[in-house]
Amino acid sequence: MKKLLVGMVAALGLSTGAAQAQGAYPARPITMIVPFAAGGPTDVVARIVGEHMSRTLGQQIVVENVAGAGGTTGITRGAQAQGDGYTIMMGHMGTHGAAPALYPNLRYDPAKDFAPIGLAAGTPIIIVAKKDFPPADLKGFVEYSKANAAKLNGAHAGVGSVSHSTGVLLNSILGIKPTLVAYRGTGPALNDLMAGTVDFMTDQIVNVAPQIQAGTIKAYAIATPERSPALPDVPTTKEAGLPNYEVSAWNAIFAPKSTPKEVTAKLVDALDKALDDENTRKRLVELGGVIPSKTERTPDALQKLVESEVARWTPVLKEAGATAQ
Ligand code: MLT
């Protein structure tokens, strides 16, 4: 019987491996590596999108938080995983844009070592501070930071992370060198911001929106051309007097490069359905996430985005004198 089956599969021109992958995939839970601590923006986006993807795929997507080195530890593990569709990862503008400029010995190439699945959410950047930070507005923030830089602590999630690279850009524009305090993600960093043990950070809206709405931290401005519907009272950097600080981040799903097309196609379809799902969209938009359009969420669009972001961030970070040390 087995011989007959193998013969039929061969006749169909499918290798048994591909047939198994095509037919049975996914036959067991899928691990999604989130390269930062639980509770941060990448984790939040992964869990929201992953929940609906699990329904389409018929198997649980299990998030595994693998933090360290600005997200490059987890992404390196993902890049080196079996290309069988059972390990995928949530990368972002840091791991797949800024990292090459900051890690000369980076053990992956964002543009070559992955099978891009698709963009999961755009995540505008917000300048936030502890609740009792003295400045009342962005102009005051700029003046105060320039006058007190040596006393200030800026939080980030590790060299090359979104919060690090966007923070380096802000500090470079302001011409300040505060003490930078690294965390395993901006989830833990936000806890210290709320506790007042760290002064400020630039973070993705999906992480800080609930605390801004609750009044437990201060928001000075959003670094996108338009205000966010989730935070209508937070001015843009342009409105607030810092027009040249415009920066936004994004989170996207990748698979190891060797993952077969018939497997990645199922992941692409599941992501597309998640981003079309009303409840999934609502949960992301409520946090200030931006839903990628149909054309923005294709694998090709993500490949092009990675290439353009590496090209964009490399000179910016080098000029700002940012290094991994
Ligand atoms: C996180 O999930 O903690 C963030 O994405 C870290 C960062 O890149 O700032």
Side-chain angles (χ1 to χ4, degrees):
M1 179 58 185
K2 189 165 176 344
K3 267 208 169 100
L4 174 62
L5 180 65
V6 170
M8 280 168 62
V9 165
L12 289 169
L14 288 173
S15 72
T16 46
Q20 279 163 359
Q22 187 164 19
Y25 177 80
R28 54 188 164 81
I30 297 162
T31 296
M32 184 189 287
I33 293 173
V34 166
F36 294 98
T42 306
D43 189 65
V44 163
V45 171
R47 291 176 194 275
I48 291 174
V49 169
E51 193 179 305
H52 191 274
M53 288 178 71
S54 298
R55 280 190 240 149
T56 303
L57 293 164
Q59 289 289 346
Q60 271 304 313
I61 288 189
V62 179
V63 167
E64 183 182 352
N65 299 89
V66 181
T72 58
T73 301
I75 297 300
T76 300
R77 183 183 304 181
Q80 294 171 352
Q82 280 275 12
D84 56 10
Y86 292 103
T87 302
I88 58 178
M89 63 213 95
M90 186 66 81
H92 66 15
M93 175 274 263
T95 61
H96 285 73
L102 295 164
Y103 292 94
N105 305 316
L106 191 62
R107 286 180 291 159
Y108 62 85
D109 179 329
K112 293 188 183 136
D113 292 335
F114 301 90
I117 301 301
L119 203 51
T123 49
I125 295 301
I126 311 250
I127 302 171
V128 291
K130 62 186 182 182
K131 195 175 173 194
D132 61 358
F133 200 57
D137 57 19
L138 185 61
K139 263 176 139 39
F141 174 89
V142 170
E143 284 153 19
Y144 184 88
S145 302
K146 285 181 176 177
N148 298 279
K151 290 189 297 187
L152 296 185
N153 293 315
H156 64 82
V159 171
S161 63
V162 165
S163 46
H164 175 263
S165 37
T166 56
V168 162
L169 179 60
L170 177 65
N171 296 338
S172 162
I173 290 171
L174 300 186
I176 62 173
K177 289 189 182 299
T179 300
L180 299 182
V181 183
Y183 292 80
R184 294 173 68 75
T186 51
L190 180 58
N191 292 338
D192 275 6
L193 199 69
M194 289 161 62
T197 55
V198 72
D199 294 314
F200 74 100
M201 73 176 168
T202 53
D203 195 14
Q204 297 167 77
I205 191 169
V206 294
N207 190 39
V208 293
Q211 297 310 329
I212 294 166
Q213 290 157 349
T216 56
I217 59 172
K218 258 183 188 175
Y220 285 108
I222 185 168
T224 41
E226 305 297 328
R227 293 192 181 201
S228 166
L231 296 170
D233 300 334
V234 176
T236 64
T237 44
K238 191 174 179 184
E239 288 173 291
L242 197 62
N244 50 346
Y245 187 64
E246 278 202 359
V247 61
S248 196
W250 43 270
N251 286 258
I253 298 176
F254 297 87
K257 183 163 185 58
S258 57
T259 309
K261 279 262 176 294
E262 56 273 14
V263 169
T264 56
K266 290 193 175 182
L267 292 165
V268 170
D269 174 60
L271 173 58
D272 188 41
K273 286 185 167 69
L275 294 175
D276 284 344
D277 171 64
E278 196 182 323
N279 182 48
T280 304
R281 294 169 71 95
K282 181 169 173 287
R283 292 173 68 191
L284 289 170
V285 168
E286 273 173 353
L287 292 171
V290 178
I291 308 294
S293 67
K294 283 283 190 186
T295 52
E296 286 172 333
R297 61 179 90 153
T298 66
D300 287 350
L302 178 54
Q303 180 63 30
K304 287 188 176 63
L305 177 65
V306 167
E307 290 165 3
S308 66
E309 288 283 83
V310 171
R312 174 191 176 212
W313 278 99
T314 298
V316 166
L317 292 166
K318 289 206 186 307
E319 194 185 312
T323 61
Q325 278 68 34

